């Protein structure tokens, strides 16, 4: 029937997309009405006298008609072919004719790409003739002429496109002349982004010149007097990091970046629970001690933070109001990328520690938090949302309170710190406000593997040894640091430091070296392989009586420690050779 016929639905056919067309059939009522309407418009047009001029007009028409040209082009070509064939046979000029107007929408046309070289209809006529067919050569010539026209059109379009950018440039220049001004903010941000990297490098270079003597000490100075000190050592002060907006805040957390060894994050909040306000998260680099690299402010004080090991641009943060959040350093936003809420199961008390863990089975990011509300919670980032799972609740044994109407109320223990075993994935320790340390497993939510009656006051820090898999260390406000074997209930070493111990940290270079800081402003460095009873170095770091040291961290590569205090300052100090002897 020479027509498109839709087949009803078959099993192996899947329709992804269907669209109703708006082409009009030539023989339909609407098609006739349209052709009448167009023919009345044509009557006003001048009568053409030659086939050549009509051909030229067709090309011009093609150029202007654009998309509608394809619909009617074949019909014109067929009439043109017939004319050329007649001219070839009779060699008489054709009679003058009115130019035939094309319809905008037609369905009954043949596309050139679907044809054979010879017109099928004419080929049949030729086969019956004894003389050689002239129609084929005429058609071929017709196509050559057509192709030449198309090529010419494409050239013209290309030249127009080339002229466009020139016109745009001219337009811009005109706008400049008119004095069109961008807003100052737009200009400023644009200018800053262009020079920000260069400015950062310049700032670091200037700082390196300003602090040249300190930089030389950091890189090359080794205290020669250590040889005559009988194993004792010293801490050499290097840079002091401070920022105007954090003067009234205490350093509540410090963490070195696992990838960029000169970069560290500092969390600011307050340990005075009557004076709680906003918090800040700053990132400093040792290449620029005068100003932080990144600054984030928060409504609530920051209590803890931790860098992700595999994604060093992600920082997990715990707040005083019980929320946890993830900051993404790659994003320019001053707000955290993800944050918990009352809906998503935030803590009801301050979050004392957060720690990244391995991704879960579905490769979702995962970290744990511990809080005074007695919950240890696993947070998983699923589809840009923090989903919580309670891992364990710290119940205090033998403290069931008598509630109203004879109810037995279980009081929850207040978690203050925790640490995960370096090799055994499910094993972790939790320090509490009551002074106990619980050995827990991720697999059990209601019972503990072991309980250590560790301290008489709150456990401020607990940490596994990075080299010796059975050993962990704890410190407390009861003035003591204790070293434990997790298979034995009593401590192996006890050190009394004559003041409340704020933080303790194992060194990354030796299994026997650790450092602790006390509230009287002193830092203590021990090396058990040299002296099991006394510190190799006890040094005053903070002089003012009202100021207290809160945290200490070893750099993973350089022989440097950073120490934070309650005035918002972070001091970096270099360990002398006696304090960083490598084990044999």
């Amino acid at each position: 029937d020479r027509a498109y016929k839709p087949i009803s639905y078959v099993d192996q056919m899947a329709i992804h997309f269907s669209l109703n067309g708006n082409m009009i059939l030539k023989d339909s009522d609407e098609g006739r009405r349209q052709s009448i309407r167009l023919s009345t418009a044509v009557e006003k047009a001048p009568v053409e006298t030659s086939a050549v001029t009509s051909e030229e007009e067709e090309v011009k028409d093609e150029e202007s008609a654009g998309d509608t040209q394809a619909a009617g082009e074949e019909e014109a070509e067929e009439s043109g072919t017939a004319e050329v064939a007649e001219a070839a046979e009779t060699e008489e000029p054709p009679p003058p004719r009115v130019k035939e107007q094309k319809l905008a929408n037609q369905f009954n046309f043949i596309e050139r790409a679907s044809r054979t070289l010879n017109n099928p209809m004419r080929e049949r006529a030729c086969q019956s003739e004894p003389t050689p067919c002239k129609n084929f050569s005429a058609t071929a010539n017709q196509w050559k002429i057509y192709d030449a026209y198309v090529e010419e059109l494409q050239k013209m379009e290309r030249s127009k496109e080339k002229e466009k950018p020139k016109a745009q440039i001219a337009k811009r220049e005109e706008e400049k002349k008119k004095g069109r001004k961008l807003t100052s903010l737009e200009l400023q941000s644009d200018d800053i982004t262009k020079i920000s990297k260069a400015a950062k490098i310049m700032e670091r270079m200037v700082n390196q010149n300003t602090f040249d003597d300190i930089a030389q000490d950091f890189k090359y100075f080794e205290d020669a007097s250590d040889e005559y000190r009988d194993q004792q050592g010293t801490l050499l002060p290097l840079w002091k990091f401070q920022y105007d907006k954090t003067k009234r805040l205490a350093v509540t957390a410090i963490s070195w970046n696992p990838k960029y060894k000169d970069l560290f994050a500092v969390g600011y909040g307050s340990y005075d629970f009557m004076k709680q306000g906003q918090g800040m998260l700053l990132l400093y680099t040792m290449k620029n001690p005068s100003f932080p690299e990144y600054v984030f402010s928060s409504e609530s004080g920051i209590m803890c933070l931790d860098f992700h090991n595999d994604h060093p641009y992600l920082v997990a943060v715990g707040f005083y109001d019980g929320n946890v959040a993830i900051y993404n350093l790659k994003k320019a936003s001053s707000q955290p990328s993800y944050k918990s809420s009352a809906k998503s199961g935030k803590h009801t008390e301050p979050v004392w520690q957060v720690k990244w863990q391995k991704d879960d089975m579905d490769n979702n990011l995962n970290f744990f938090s511990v809080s005074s509300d007695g919950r240890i919670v696993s947070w998983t980032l699923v589809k840009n949302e923090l989903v919580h799972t309670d891992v364990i609740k710290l119940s205090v044994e033998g403290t069931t309170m008598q509630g109203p109407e004879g109810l037995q109320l279980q009081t929850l223990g207040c978690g203050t710190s925790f640490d995960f075993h370096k090799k055994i994935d499910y094993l972790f320790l939790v320090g509490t406000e009551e002074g106990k340390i619980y050995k827990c497993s991720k697999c059990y939510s209601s019972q503990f593997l072991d309980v250590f009656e560790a301290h008489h006051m709150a456990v401020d820090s607990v940490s596994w040894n990075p080299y010796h898999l059975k050993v962990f260390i704890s410190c407390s406000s009861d003035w003591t640091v204790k070293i434990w074997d997790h298979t034995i209930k009593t401590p192996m070493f006890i050190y009394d430091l004559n003041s409340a111990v704020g933080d303790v940290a194992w060194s990354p270079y030796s299994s026997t070296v650790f450092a602790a800081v006390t509230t009287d402003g002193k830092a203590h460095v021990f090396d058990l392989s040299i002296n099991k009873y006394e510190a190799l170095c006890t040094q005053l770091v903070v002089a003012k009586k009202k100021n207290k040291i809160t945290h200490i961290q070893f750099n993973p590569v350089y022989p440097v420690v950073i120490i934070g205090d309650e005035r918002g300052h972070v001091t970096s100090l270099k360990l002398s050779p006696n304090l960083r002897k490598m084990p044999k």
Side-chain angles (χ1 to χ4, degrees):
D1 294 349
R2 300 176 67 86
Y4 170 75
K5 301 229 173 160
I7 302 166
S8 58
Y9 185 76
V10 287
D11 290 344
Q12 66 269 30
M13 181 168 74
I15 297 171
H16 293 290
F17 178 74
S18 71
L19 179 73
N20 291 330
N22 51 8
M23 282 184 167
I24 301 164
L25 195 64
K26 200 174 185 180
D27 305 330
S28 67
D29 292 343
E30 199 172 339
R32 285 197 200 95
R33 280 200 295 277
Q34 201 174 54
S35 60
I36 292 161
R37 202 160 54 244
L38 288 168
S39 62
T40 52
V42 168
E43 281 170 12
K44 295 170 188 175
V47 176
E48 288 163 8
T49 52
S50 79
V52 181
T53 51
S54 74
E55 192 80 60
E56 282 173 5
E57 284 298 312
E58 275 176 33
V59 172
K60 284 177 189 166
D61 201 58
E62 278 167 12
E63 194 176 337
S64 61
D67 293 340
T68 58
Q69 166 259 348
E73 117 190 332
E74 285 303 327
E75 200 175 330
E77 275 163 14
E78 278 184 19
S79 63
T81 311
E83 282 171 32
V84 174
E86 282 167 21
E89 284 170 10
T90 59
E91 294 183 356
E92 281 180 17
R97 66 179 182 88
V98 177
K99 184 194 166 193
E100 191 175 315
Q101 187 67 24
K102 296 169 198 167
L103 276 178
N105 296 318
Q106 298 180 66
F107 198 72
N108 45 352
F109 71 91
I110 301 164
E111 208 172 319
R112 178 185 176 184
S114 64
R115 282 180 165 191
T116 54
L117 277 173
N118 294 14
N119 190 328
M121 299 294 284
R122 290 174 184 274
E123 199 169 32
R124 284 195 209 102
C126 292
Q127 281 165 6
S128 60
E129 290 175 15
T131 52
C133 180
K134 297 174 187 173
N135 288 342
F136 170 65
S137 60
T139 310
N141 288 334
Q142 188 82 0
W143 281 126
K144 280 179 189 171
I145 294 165
Y146 173 75
D147 287 344
Y149 274 122
V150 169
E151 203 174 318
E152 189 65 32
L153 276 172
Q154 285 172 348
K155 274 184 190 172
M156 285 163 73
E157 279 171 9
R158 280 199 292 270
S159 64
K160 277 180 188 173
E161 281 172 5
K162 282 178 186 172
E163 282 167 17
K164 272 183 189 173
K166 289 178 186 173
Q168 285 172 353
I169 290 163
K171 195 177 180 184
R172 277 181 205 152
E173 284 173 358
E174 277 177 22
E175 281 176 355
K176 279 180 189 173
K177 284 173 189 172
K178 283 175 189 172
R180 180 182 171 274
K181 289 179 183 176
L182 287 166
T183 60
S184 57
L185 270 172
E186 272 179 8
L187 277 168
Q188 196 178 349
S189 64
D190 201 35
D191 293 344
I192 287 168
T193 48
K194 279 179 189 170
I195 61 158
S196 59
K197 196 176 181 186
K200 192 176 275 187
I201 294 165
M202 283 298 294
E203 188 180 14
R204 287 182 180 185
M205 286 164 72
V206 170
N207 272 306
Q208 201 170 334
N209 289 343
T210 310
F211 300 110
D212 182 55
D213 50 344
I214 301 175
Q216 297 293 333
D217 286 351
F218 159 69
K219 199 76 180 162
Y220 305 111
F221 179 73
E222 301 296 352
D223 196 345
S225 60
D226 267 26
E227 289 178 31
Y228 312 104
R229 280 217 182 94
D230 188 34
Q231 311 287 0
Q232 297 287 310
T234 55
L235 295 168
L236 171 72
L238 296 173
W239 294 280
K240 198 174 205 176
F241 299 86
Q242 56 193 56
Y243 184 55
D244 290 344
K245 291 180 183 175
T246 59
K247 275 182 179 172
R248 293 182 184 176
L249 298 171
V251 174
T252 52
I254 300 177
S255 180
W256 286 98
N257 190 294
K259 186 177 179 185
Y260 302 101
K261 309 302 180 192
D262 58 289
L263 190 72
F264 61 92
V266 186
Y268 292 89
S270 173
Y271 286 125
D272 186 343
F273 303 126
M274 302 303 287
K275 291 180 184 173
Q276 281 299 322
Q278 63 155 11
M280 288 195 93
L281 168 65
L282 301 186
L283 278 95
Y284 282 103
T285 171
M286 285 158 69
K287 293 173 182 172
N288 181 4
S290 63
F291 201 79
E293 289 288 299
Y294 298 89
V295 178
F296 301 96
S297 56
S298 60
E299 292 168 12
S300 177
I302 289 173
M303 291 285 120
C304 52
L305 57 88
D306 189 33
F307 276 109
H308 196 290
N309 218 32
D310 301 326
H311 307 290
Y313 51 88
L314 293 178
V315 189
V317 174
F319 296 99
Y320 180 79
D321 62 4
N323 275 314
V324 293
I326 299 173
Y327 285 89
N328 188 342
L329 304 181
K330 282 186 174 180
K331 292 185 179 172
S333 165
S334 60
Q335 294 304 310
S337 299
Y338 312 101
K339 194 174 180 180
S340 64
S341 62
K343 256 188 201 173
S344 63
K346 73 166 192 136
H347 291 283
T348 53
E349 298 277 330
V351 180
W352 288 110
Q353 205 159 357
V354 287
K355 277 265 193 321
W356 285 103
Q357 283 298 285
K358 287 177 186 170
D359 295 356
D360 70 358
M361 305 287 270
D362 300 323
N363 292 330
N364 293 319
L365 295 170
N366 179 35
F367 69 92
F368 282 64
S369 63
V370 65
S371 164
S372 302
D373 63 2
R375 290 163 61 215
I376 287 146
V377 179
S378 166
W379 299 91
T380 311
L381 189 63
V382 182
K383 292 180 183 173
N384 293 344
E385 197 178 336
L386 282 174
V387 178
H388 81 289
T389 311
D390 282 17
V391 178
I392 210 160
K393 282 187 178 171
L394 302 171
S395 56
V396 182
E397 290 167 15
T399 55
T400 41
M401 284 164 49
Q402 194 71 27
E405 298 175 13
L407 282 171
Q408 294 290 310
L409 293 176
Q410 184 79 31
T411 54
L412 291 174
C414 299
T416 53
S417 59
F418 69 156
D419 194 26
F420 289 88
H421 197 277
K422 304 289 184 274
K423 289 281 187 288
I424 306 166
D425 191 45
Y426 62 83
L427 194 65
F428 64 98
L429 298 165
V430 184
T432 60
E433 224 165 89
E434 299 79 49
K436 290 179 182 175
I437 294 174
Y438 296 97
K439 185 165 79 171
C440 309
S441 166
K442 290 181 190 175
C443 309
Y444 304 110
S445 60
S446 56
Q447 66 188 88
F448 311 117
L449 303 178
D450 217 336
V451 182
F452 300 92
E453 298 289 342
H455 295 277
H456 304 298
M457 291 176 76
V459 179
D460 290 321
S461 179
V462 59
S463 173
W464 289 100
N465 189 301
Y467 297 100
H468 200 299
L469 301 179
K470 283 186 175 180
V471 173
F472 68 90
I473 196 167
S474 65
C475 71
S476 166
S477 306
D478 67 359
W479 298 13
T480 59
V481 170
K482 295 184 182 182
I483 296 174
W484 307 75
D485 181 323
H486 80 86
T487 57
I488 304 167
K489 285 276 194 142
T490 52
M492 298 190 290
F493 296 97
I494 302 174
Y495 299 99
D496 189 336
L497 300 182
N498 299 321
S499 186
V501 185
D503 196 11
V504 68
W506 290 107
S507 81
Y509 52 84
S510 169
S511 62
T512 56
V513 176
F514 67 90
V517 287
T518 47
T519 49
D520 59 358
K522 288 178 183 172
H524 310 258
V525 184
F526 290 79
D527 189 342
L528 304 180
S529 65
I530 293 169
N531 190 336
K532 291 184 179 68
Y533 308 104
E534 288 177 342
L536 299 188
C537 170
T538 299
Q539 191 168 315
L540 195 68
V541 179
V542 175
K544 290 174 185 171
K545 285 187 178 179
K546 285 184 180 178
N547 201 353
K548 294 175 186 172
I549 295 182
T550 54
H551 287 278
I552 185 166
Q553 279 286 316
F554 282 89
N555 185 292
V557 176
Y558 306 118
V560 170
V561 289
I562 46 172
I563 292 173
D565 60 39
E566 281 200 332
R567 290 284 173 91
H569 299 158
V570 178
T571 312
S572 57
L573 302 108
K574 186 176 184 178
L575 300 155
S576 68
N578 277 358
L579 300 182
R580 49 184 159 98
K581 285 182 178 168
M582 300 289 277
K584 288 175 186 172

